[in-house]
Amino acid sequence: MTNKRRRKTSMVDTQLVEIYEDLANVEEEIRLKAAQTLLLKIAPEAGLASQQIHEILRRLIRGLCSGRKAARLGFSVALTEFLIQQLGPTASCPLFAIPEVIEVLKTETYIVGNVSGQEERNHYFGRLFGAETVIKSSILFYTIDGFQSWSQVLDLILGLAKRKLWLREECGWVLYCAIQDLSSGGHDFKYVQEIIDKVQDNGLTNTPEGVALWIVTSLEFPQVRLPQGIWLNENPMHRKEKAKLATVLKETVLTNLDDSGADPNVSQNGVWTSKLHFAWNVVLGRVLSVQSLESSKDLDLASFWEECVDRNLFTDLSSNERKYWGFLAFQRAIRDAPAQSFYIIFSKNLMRCLTNQLALPERYLHRLAEKSVKAILLRAKEDASVALPALECLLTPPKGQINFDQATKTKTVEKLLALVKNSSLRDLVIVFRKLIWRPGTQDQKAAASRRQLLADQLVNIVRSRLSTDDNTSTSSNASKGFEDILALFAKLAYFTHTQSRASAERSEDPLISTSSMDMFKSRISSCLTLLVTKSSNPAFFAHHVVCKIHSWEKSKEPCISSVHAYDAASVVLRKSWKVLKSIHLLEQSSELKRRPVLIAFKLLFSLAILQVYNFDADAVGVLEELKDCYGTLVKHKNKRAQGGSDALIEIILSFVAKPSLLFRRLGQRVFSACVSTVDGAGLQSMIKVLMTKETISGQEEMFDRVDDADRDDEISDVEEVEVIDCTTIEMSAQKDHNSGKDSAECLNNEETLFSEVQNIEHGSDAELVAFDAKLAQALKNRSTEDDRATIGNDEFTDEDMNDEQMEALDEQLGKVFRGRKKVMSKKSQKKGAKETIVNFKCRVLELLEIFIKHQNAKLLTLDLLVPILRTIHSTSSTLVSAKACGLIRTYTKVCKGENLPNAIDTDPIFDLLKKIHNQATKDGSNAYNSSCSQASLLVVKILVAQDRENLRRILLIYSETQERALLDPRCGVKVSFFSDWLNWCSSFVNTTRKKAT
């Protein structure tokens, strides 16, 4: 039984009781305040008796054995300060000696009798904390008898380490910190020598704690004598000792303990803990500081990591507990290792285990693997220079995987790409170039898939940098990175290595396939789509791409160009290169007013040349027209021909007609730059598109030079588009190129156009019924009454037919199915024609919106009102109608005050007003009637702004229209047309009166 201590009957000091209670409080501030109060109470001037001081010492040591709240933390702080006050260098008259403190510590932490396991652990922890407080107080290093007491304290600590395996690491940590404190305090090395001797005597040299103590001693106290024969050259970090070091760090039993001078009775720690032993931090810190030199005998990071981590903790035979430690070591290394060491840390077995554990949430170490990934991202956020090495390690086979994010179901690579600095983009492109050439597989399909994934990631880099840098990337280091990305795509898309060269240098493994080359061409369009929209100089990157291709063609690269321009194109290309070069030189030296037009032509020439390399059938003709247009509008500006603007508009229309987001944005940028040169002939070219019927005949009239087969093979930024329409094209392109407003617009376009296509398909049921009837007649399943009377109840089978009847039946069935095929083909053509024309009209309306916003003060813009109203009335597409109505609203909004056109002759404007009223009398939707009313009131504002007397003629026109509405039953004008007019009149009167007053 336990010998219970008798409660003393002396007077209880309630203040001390409160202090002891506060020392166990979980709040650190309360604990520190209680310790300060205690020190004031036992100060020499307080005049406490020696017996009271001894009782406080005993009570503080007993408090270390308490597991209540934060008692050990509070009492250890109080005891440390208590010992410094009573026995420190400034103590005047100590009331007790150091040996008494050691004796009280032994007595109060000694276990008497049969106690519970928890109480036993509390006493062991109390003894360890007590020994630590004695060391931290430094009272052993200032007195004569301190060294003897130092030896006793070491015996207490090492006795615990040897007796209780689960306390060994904590005991080793106390001694490790003691050596560091002795070094910082400048104390005699004999204290450290005593530690090393005691550790060897207790047989703990070949343990993780012994290795940590050995390393810190050799660094801080080189004069200390280390045990002989334990490690080669008395250095556990020797290159030849890496296998033994790995075994020790794994805390497994060594087979040669007797030869090493260790105690064979000391068992290794059989208790696994979920935290990494502190010795790993010591060893890692040591190897990270060692330079990898051939002359150095110390173990470097590469050798250590391969032997101690990759081969010991991450092999196929390693347990989950070993792998757990391995992940903790990896996180520790990631936190402190320099960037160049990442290529060592991301070892083969570790990467395989990391990928496997991340792949499935039910894996044992899935959460720890996620923490490892978070450690990588956290380090990259703190130090952006490590993002690129980490990416290369994660993606480069055979250690990494190009599809790491897909294999692990994470966004690690995506997040790291966002953390790469703009100044490192060029190095990142080099890494991606190596990965594209060497995708780590011999399978052609797998290689193509990985190359496409890498290309998509490069496109995402361009997109993310443009969206986050607020259009400043093109003038910063990111611009150089974008140039390298486009150059890489161009080299892969238009050039290919020869088979012999590839076999000799293994530059590609396997070779770039034709489908991959086409994919890279589309990625060029994707990047240019983004850069044309966001860059301040939209022609810069397109010009860079074609110049790179041209320079590679002329140079003696170990590549063969995949571009073989036919003879007719080669002549045009040579002339176009000369024109493009002159435009580039003019742009550098021209004044600001001419520069936008030059940039527009530079962009047009660059993309037209690129289309020649893409084998576009129309590209050569476009180049010839561009050359003539440039000579008319820019080169010979003083002798401008009348058709220059018209030719430019035709070229822009040829671009926006293509099913490509790039060319749509190209057309808008070029049109914006040259909008001031647009004349009536150019507007008529766009109006002609709006007036085109949305039928097959309209398509043939508009695209008579376009072959359907060529259209299917066209290379653009729209990938795998089966049906060319405004929605499919937009939605396909949105995945790679668009965001924000364009995304919402295309989604609305999809819904609208889908409903329109459904209208075309309403007749499919009737056609199917007719087809069934013809098929039944051919099979003689719909018998007449005479047939049924003749046949009777017998069943009709193919056994009753002879060969002639079978041949006749085959002929009839062939006719039926051929007819069905013609019907379906015709229906598909109608659907495709409608989608194509609707798409083209939408693009033209977008161009007209640009024209109206920039040229609303010109009388020429008024010529658009009637054609736009006719488009709203005639189109069967609600999408086109909505865009045209929005165009009228835009015109009325921007045409205000000083922006109103100024006309000397108002008769043409009155004629325009009559035409608008004539359009309003046609039956149409409410949106159409509202647009007519808005257009009419816009013209009224322009006329009234010229002269208020024009109101008289305006009233006559409105009265004539109202008369037709009342008397002509065929007049479709709605009441809202006149109510809008009356509201305007009321507003005009009120405004006039306010001005008059």
Side-chain angles (χ1 to χ4, degrees), residues 888-905:
I888 296 292
R889 287 194 298 270
T890 301
Y891 196 2
T892 57
K893 288 180 181 179
V894 298
C895 219
K896 294 179 180 179
E898 297 179 355
N899 293 327
L900 288 173
N902 187 14
I904 300 176
D905 185 9

Side-chain angles (χ1 to χ4, degrees), residues 78-142:
L79 179 59
T80 302
E81 297 299 327
F82 173 82
L83 294 177
I84 293 174
Q85 185 187 67
Q86 297 297 322
L87 299 175
T90 59
S92 57
C93 50
L95 299 180
F96 53 87
I98 296 177
E100 295 181 51
V101 176
I102 305 300
E103 188 62 30
V104 174
L105 177 60
K106 291 180 180 180
T107 304
E108 295 298 327
T109 59
Y110 181 73
I111 301 174
V112 180
N114 186 17
V115 298
S116 64
Q118 181 61 48
E119 188 175 351
E120 181 183 13
R121 285 191 292 271
N122 288 338
H123 277 75
Y124 285 140
F125 274 120
R127 176 167 291 191
L128 180 61
F129 270 79
E132 183 181 16
T133 56
V134 172
I135 295 174
K136 285 185 176 181
S137 65
S138 301
I139 60 175
L140 302 175
F141 312 130
Y142 298 109

Side-chain angles (χ1 to χ4, degrees), residues 710-825:
D710 294 338
R711 182 181 295 272
D712 291 338
D713 296 334
E714 182 177 339
I715 300 298
S716 69
D717 56 334
V718 183
E719 303 171 13
E720 301 181 2
V721 178
E722 297 180 357
V723 180
I724 301 176
D725 60 26
C726 104
T727 58
T728 309
I729 291 167
E730 296 282 336
M731 293 304 294
S732 175
Q734 294 296 343
K735 294 181 181 179
D736 291 330
H737 320 295
N738 221 345
S739 62
K741 178 182 177 181
D742 288 341
S743 179
E745 175 187 349
C746 293
L747 187 59
N748 295 333
N749 292 356
E750 181 187 21
E751 297 173 353
T752 306
L753 196 57
F754 177 76
S755 64
E756 295 168 8
V757 173
Q758 290 296 100
N759 295 333
I760 300 176
E761 299 176 348
H762 280 332
S764 60
D765 294 339
E767 294 173 0
L768 188 59
V769 172
F771 172 72
D772 290 341
K774 292 179 180 180
L775 185 60
Q777 184 177 5
L779 295 173
K780 297 184 178 181
N781 283 339
R782 295 194 334 175
S783 301
T784 60
E785 293 181 0
D786 295 339
D787 294 333
R788 288 196 297 270
T790 303
I791 296 174
N793 296 327
D794 295 337
E795 293 182 358
F796 183 79
T797 65
D798 56 355
E799 295 179 356
D800 299 326
M801 292 190 298
N802 54 30
D803 292 341
E804 294 180 356
Q805 291 174 331
M806 289 289 289
E807 291 178 359
L809 179 61
D810 289 341
E811 183 179 356
Q812 290 177 349
L813 289 175
K815 290 180 180 180
V816 171
F817 282 104
R818 282 193 294 272
R820 175 63 175 172
K821 185 177 180 180
K822 290 181 180 179
V823 172
M824 295 301 295
S825 177

Side-chain angles (χ1 to χ4, degrees), residues 117-309:
Q118 181 61 48
E119 188 175 351
E120 181 183 13
R121 285 191 292 271
N122 288 338
H123 277 75
Y124 285 140
F125 274 120
R127 176 167 291 191
L128 180 61
F129 270 79
E132 183 181 16
T133 56
V134 172
I135 295 174
K136 285 185 176 181
S137 65
S138 301
I139 60 175
L140 302 175
F141 312 130
Y142 298 109
T143 58
I144 299 176
D145 58 347
F147 185 75
Q148 183 178 359
S149 300
W150 169 252
S151 180
Q152 295 178 3
V153 172
L154 292 181
D155 289 336
L156 289 176
I157 296 174
L158 292 173
L160 287 174
K162 193 172 181 179
R163 185 180 305 112
K164 295 298 178 182
L165 300 181
W166 47 271
L167 267 179
R168 181 181 297 172
E169 181 179 352
E170 285 72 16
C171 294
W173 175 250
V174 171
L175 296 179
Y176 179 84
C177 294
I179 294 176
Q180 290 184 322
D181 293 340
L182 288 169
S183 175
S184 60
H187 297 291
D188 198 324
F189 72 92
K190 66 179 181 180
Y191 295 97
V192 180
Q193 184 69 64
E194 187 71 11
I195 293 177
I196 298 301
D197 294 341
K198 291 284 186 182
V199 169
Q200 184 183 15
D201 293 342
N202 285 274
L204 298 176
T205 306
N206 279 321
T207 61
E209 297 80 15
V211 171
L213 295 175
W214 193 301
I215 292 174
V216 71
T217 299
S218 61
L219 292 176
E220 304 293 342
F221 293 93
Q223 64 271 39
V224 171
R225 299 186 316 275
L226 295 171
Q228 302 291 323
I230 306 297
W231 300 96
L232 185 63
N233 292 339
E234 287 72 49
N235 183 13
M237 303 302 296
H238 197 278
R239 284 178 178 268
K240 295 183 179 180
E241 293 286 10
K242 60 182 180 180
K244 181 180 177 182
L245 178 63
T247 305
V248 171
L249 290 177
K250 283 198 305 181
E251 302 185 40
T252 55
V253 179
L254 296 174
T255 58
N256 58 343
L257 283 177
D258 295 334
D259 298 335
S260 66
D263 187 356
N265 296 323
V266 176
S267 59
Q268 297 297 310
N269 191 357
V271 180
W272 180 82
T273 59
S274 60
K275 68 175 183 177
L276 192 66
H277 198 288
F278 80 92
W280 280 92
N281 294 332
V282 178
V283 175
L284 278 171
R286 177 63 176 163
V287 296
L288 287 174
S289 63
V290 173
Q291 298 293 332
S292 181
L293 302 175
E294 294 183 1
S295 59
S296 175
K297 296 182 180 180
D298 286 343
L299 189 64
D300 59 1
L301 179 62
S303 301
F304 166 77
W305 195 266
E306 181 184 7
E307 181 68 30
C308 299
V309 179

